[in-house]
Amino acid sequence: MFSKRIKVKELLQLTPNEQEVTVMGWVRTFRNNQFIALNDGSTNNNIQIVVALGLLDDATLKRITTGAAIKVIGNVIPSVGKGQSLEIKANSIEILGDSDAEKYPLQPKKHSLEFLREIAHLRFRTNTFGAVFRIRHALTFAIHQFFNDKGFLNIHTPIITASDAEGAGETFRVTTLPIDGTAPRNADGSINFNEDFFGKSTNLTVSGQLEGELAATAFGNIYTFGPTFRAENSNTTRHLAEFWMIEPEMAFYDIEDNMDLAEEFIQYIISYVMEHNKEDLTFLDARLAEEEKQKPQNERQEFGLIEKLKFVVENKFERITYTQAIDILLNSPAYKKKKFKYDVKWGIDMQSEHERYLVEKHFKKPVIVSNYPAAIKAFYMRLNDGEEAGKETVAAMDILAPGIGEIVGGSQREERYDVLLKRMQQFNIPLQEMNWYLDSRRFGTVPHAGFGLGFERMVQFVTGMTNIRDVIPFARTPKNCEF
Ligand code: ATP
Ligand code: MN
């Protein structure tokens, strides 16, 4: 019986001719004991239900409150009211779930994003989050479609691992050992992980890349799309402790091929949303314009949301080397007027203020920066040939986006066994534990490359939401793990 319902999105496309339909959803508002605005999450648009005088008894009318779930059977008729072309003349209304209007936290008024974060279990029911999460879904679908059409294999890399792709800390430990001080110890006092569940020290993955590389050296082109975890204590609008990453890895690819793919990929998924989520984008475009109005003139963004997306899809990304980026920064008015908090010189790991200057002030479009100093990048990135000592670079590439900063990080991988071995030693990577990784260079090694796209940063970019906590259903950040 429930399967007979028509979704509001589909319903609004009908030509009204008194046909009978069944709709179910949640009441947004109920005016004059007569007009219900009903929403079922299929679109931000509500369907208006007209309740004729005398159809329902007083007790039932009182139960039609904001947030209540109802089932309506009625006829589709043209609407005389403004704002909609059709409405439903109700024949029967059944209350499926009551909602105490006094206690329901989501009142039919504008709530701040901060407040909605505290009631994230209910915010799906707002227009803003309806639009954001429908777009998040569309992006997910577009990503799989893009890679599937190109013959990439989707690989599920492990979530619990014993390796740390970056060779850095910032991981969440996974253990079943007691934490009350009674964990088994080695002679030297350190924890004896031989006794732990996996017989070794394990953590949640920070990236699926290394395992992805193994698959790429068999299937050619693969991609992962999974959760990653970083215990970084950075409370920013761009960092989560749990986020989703897309990591394609391609055999027989160099850094140029890698950049081409990343650019085509980003343009494809944005175009997909522009084509399939017009309504939601229009809503978010207006929302952002409203938010921008609250800012002082000089802080406002030049482009509206849709305008920005259109621009990104239609224009080639700027491509520069790290060395060129540093030169641009050194010659910038911002540098000369000492506007940067952090120093600029060749060798620095560019700070967010530098990246934002490049994309937002200088180029005003997405920028691909390549060939970073070897010292500041991961061990697996391919060492460029013939460079003077102290100035070595690797074939890395980051894509920087306006308003977000780094959205993609990638590189051509070091395929030469000897060079890789040396780099791993320099970075103190435990060779014994990474023997499996080295095998990919021992047996049929090939030039290959890949990148990681932070999914939530992409959703931020497409929806115009300024805080990353507002593009994932339930954000995990330092000191926050609700729901
Ligand atoms: P950043 O410098 O912004 O912290 P990163 O250099 O640590 O980024 P990578 O290790 O290259 O990032 O990860 C690949 C991609 O994952 C990044 O380009 C970014 O889009 C995304 N990303 C990285 N860290 C986070 C995080 N904590 N939360 C959400 N997305 C992230
Ligand atoms: Mn980081």
Side-chain angles (χ1 to χ4, degrees), residues 217-383:
T217 52
F219 297 113
N221 300 336
I222 66 96
Y223 70 106
T224 71
F225 191 158
T228 47
F229 308 86
R230 297 189 185 181
E232 45 198 356
N233 208 349
S234 42
N235 244 314
T236 75
T237 55
R238 312 174 296 118
H239 287 92
L240 291 165
E242 174 181 299
F243 65 100
W244 291 70
M245 192 146 56
I246 296 96
E247 297 182 278
E249 194 68 39
M250 296 73 64
F252 320 111
Y253 255 58
D254 66 13
I255 182 117
E256 294 295 325
D257 300 321
N258 204 22
M259 289 191 226
D260 291 345
L261 182 78
E263 183 168 342
E264 184 189 345
F265 170 57
I266 290 172
Q267 291 180 329
Y268 176 92
I269 60 179
I270 295 176
S271 305
Y272 182 92
V273 170
M274 290 181 76
E275 190 184 329
H276 293 87
N277 299 70
K278 288 201 179 78
E279 230 172 63
D280 287 328
L281 272 184
T282 305
F283 174 84
L284 291 170
D285 185 276
R287 196 202 73 84
L288 188 66
E290 196 56 42
E291 194 179 272
E292 288 289 301
K293 267 198 226 153
Q294 318 297 323
K295 294 187 191 161
Q297 194 89 41
N298 63 336
E299 282 175 28
R300 290 185 200 164
Q301 295 177 25
E302 251 167 273
F303 288 140
L305 179 63
I306 294 175
E307 223 177 351
K308 173 189 84 176
L309 297 177
K310 201 159 173 281
F311 183 85
V312 168
V313 165
E314 287 172 358
N315 291 280
K316 296 231 55 103
F317 295 4
E318 197 66 40
R319 295 186 187 191
I320 57 170
T321 63
Y322 170 89
T323 304
Q324 287 169 329
I326 294 294
D327 283 344
I328 290 169
L329 292 172
L330 287 174
N331 288 309
S332 68
Y335 178 77
K336 288 175 180 154
K337 288 186 203 146
K338 299 196 171 19
K339 289 260 174 71
F340 293 130
K341 195 168 144 216
Y342 296 91
D343 195 21
V344 179
K345 61 168 189 264
W346 200 95
I348 60 158
D349 200 357
M350 277 192 278
Q351 297 292 320
S352 159
E353 57 173 354
H354 305 134
E355 297 180 342
R356 296 188 77 146
Y357 178 85
L358 290 172
V359 285
E360 285 159 29
K361 295 275 178 322
H362 191 82
F363 289 112
K364 299 181 196 286
K365 57 152 98 165
V367 178
I368 311 184
V369 183
S370 59
N371 298 324
Y372 283 80
I376 59 167
K377 287 288 184 184
F379 73 89
Y380 49 73
M381 299 187 177
R382 192 179 195 280
L383 210 55

Side-chain angles (χ1 to χ4, degrees), residues 182-198:
T182 61
R185 308 249 166 197
N186 297 312
D188 65 359
S190 60
I191 302 283
N192 180 3
F193 286 105
N194 289 332
E195 302 282 316
D196 203 350
F197 188 91
F198 296 106

